[in-house]
Amino acid sequence: MEAPPARAQPLLPITLPRTIDAIKAYSPCQPLTIIVASYPKSGTTWMQNVVFELVTLKRFRETGERIELDHISNFCPFMENDKSWVFGEDGVAVEGLQGNHAVAHAKVGATIFNSHVYLDMMPSDPSVKLLYMTRAPRDVCNSFYHHLSHQAAEDGGYEGSREEFVRDWSDGKIAFGAWGDHLRSWLNEDGSCKVENCLRVDYADMKADLRSAVQATARHLGMRELGVEEMEDILPRLDISYMKENIDKFEPKSVTWVDKGDGFSFVRKGAIGDGKKEFGEEDEKVFLEGFKKFPPPPGCSGLMGG
């Protein structure tokens, strides 16, 4: 199947043209630069936590220093949040990252970002380690609705009904565009990454065997594999229940959240198959029509069952 032509990517109001320019022009300033990328709600924060644990383990191996997590956004800022960057007096030329991020990165000896933009917007330096997360689209859509419906409207939150969201999501009208387009921007037709410095990690694989996913990520970052004691030390902090209990360390600071009194938490259940359970008959019809318009790479067809 021939890939459809590229479409412009819709973004949140917190992203400006100068923000995209800053991302594209970014030059690594630490020995290790890592970008956790994905279509939203594909396990991004979970992988950010894995990366934090790995880079702090690397630091401990080198210096014996233990670094505690205060907030994941300090160590792994949202790359397309304009407020992550410091611009010059002309308001265009980028001078670097905000001080809290620069301090955190110096502390761990690595620069870490998370991002939801297309691959062609990424820094072109091949030394940057890219991690691309994928997840079953029904779960992505379902989780993204819960997320955006609790995000302030001025920051790009969604105020329509769930049924309206599924339709807009399937039509590629939600921030970050169509899921199929996003995957095609990062992946080849067979589902492999388009660039050698990128590792694709699937959410379901992390759920099935987190240890193997952590080891594969460590190898991609140029680290030696974790020993038994090292793995046993970090695994409890990578558990979804730990992240939910410590939500103050993981809820993004880049947007404002709306409390609707319904018990919403940015870190929800992390379950597989909830999207399929919550989809109604009309949702499923709209969802499948969307994939005719914005198909993912054929090599990602295995994700469609969830």
Side-chain angles (χ1 to χ4, degrees):
M1 180 190 297
E2 184 178 347
R7 285 171 281 268
Q9 185 181 25
L11 298 169
L12 292 171
I14 61 175
T15 304
L16 305 178
R18 70 177 187 179
T19 325
I20 299 301
D21 291 341
I23 295 171
K24 187 69 177 176
Y26 179 76
S27 180
C29 58
Q30 293 288 347
L32 179 61
T33 296
I34 307 157
I35 301 175
V36 180
S38 70
Y39 188 89
K41 314 311 294 182
S42 299
T44 325
T45 306
W46 195 8
M47 179 53 76
Q48 288 173 238
N49 194 20
V50 170
V51 169
F52 171 81
E53 289 292 342
L54 289 175
V55 297
T56 53
L57 171 60
K58 183 175 184 290
R59 193 69 160 182
F60 177 74
R61 286 172 172 176
E62 295 168 350
T63 68
E65 178 186 7
R66 294 280 187 187
I67 300 169
E68 299 295 326
L69 178 65
D70 48 13
H71 195 286
I72 198 67
S73 292
N74 290 331
F75 292 91
C76 190
F78 191 37
M79 210 171 194
E80 52 265 33
N81 178 14
D82 194 69
K83 293 180 180 178
S84 295
W85 303 91
V86 176
F87 294 91
E89 292 182 2
D90 63 358
V92 177
V94 65
E95 295 184 349
L97 289 167
Q98 292 290 344
N100 60 317
H101 304 315
V103 169
H105 290 162
K107 190 181 294 185
V108 298
T111 303
I112 317 167
F113 295 101
N114 77 93
S115 178
H116 298 314
V117 299
Y118 291 165
L119 176 61
D120 62 8
M121 300 183 198
M122 285 284 108
S124 57
D125 191 317
S127 70
V128 174
K129 300 293 185 180
L130 302 171
L131 293 157
Y132 187 68
M133 296 293 299
T134 55
R135 187 183 185 187
R138 290 177 184 81
D139 286 344
V140 167
C141 178
N142 185 58
S143 185
F144 204 15
Y145 167 69
H146 288 293
H147 176 122
L148 284 184
S149 64
H150 290 83
Q151 185 170 304
E154 61 268 24
D155 289 337
Y158 192 82
E159 297 183 303
S161 69
R162 188 182 179 285
E163 291 73 20
E164 290 170 328
F165 181 89
V166 173
R167 183 169 296 281
D168 286 343
W169 187 88
S170 298
D171 286 341
K173 296 178 181 178
I174 299 297
F176 304 108
W179 179 80
D181 281 355
H182 204 286
L183 266 64
R184 283 188 176 276
S185 82
W186 280 84
L187 305 175
N188 295 311
E189 292 295 279
D190 64 358
S192 63
C193 295
K194 286 186 175 180
V195 291
E196 292 185 2
N197 55 318
C198 184
L199 174 69
R200 176 186 166 189
V201 182
D202 190 68
Y203 189 92
D205 291 340
M206 288 182 70
K207 290 284 289 185
D209 188 355
L210 183 56
R211 292 170 186 265
S212 293
V214 171
Q215 296 285 28
T217 303
R219 290 193 297 270
H220 183 64
L221 301 184
M223 294 175 58
R224 72 172 188 271
E225 291 195 353
L226 281 67
V228 174
E229 291 185 4
E230 292 173 331
M231 183 68 77
E232 294 305 317
D233 175 60
I234 74 168
L235 280 179
R237 294 189 294 279
L238 299 180
D239 192 272
I240 296 295
S241 62
Y242 171 86
M243 295 174 64
K244 192 174 181 67
E245 290 166 5
N246 292 272
I247 190 63
D248 58 317
K249 297 178 184 287
F250 297 102
E251 185 175 77
K253 295 180 177 181
S254 54
V255 297
T256 301
W257 299 96
V258 178
D259 185 358
K260 296 185 175 181
D262 55 4
F264 169 78
S265 172
F266 172 75
V267 178
R268 296 176 62 243
K269 294 180 288 184
I272 292 177
D274 271 8
K276 184 177 288 188
K277 292 176 185 176
E278 293 191 29
F279 267 37
E281 185 175 334
E282 182 63 22
D283 291 335
E284 182 68 11
K285 178 182 176 182
V286 168
F287 176 84
L288 293 175
E289 287 174 351
F291 286 109
K292 294 177 182 177
K293 291 180 281 188
F294 308 111
C300 296
S301 59
L303 296 173
M304 294 296 295

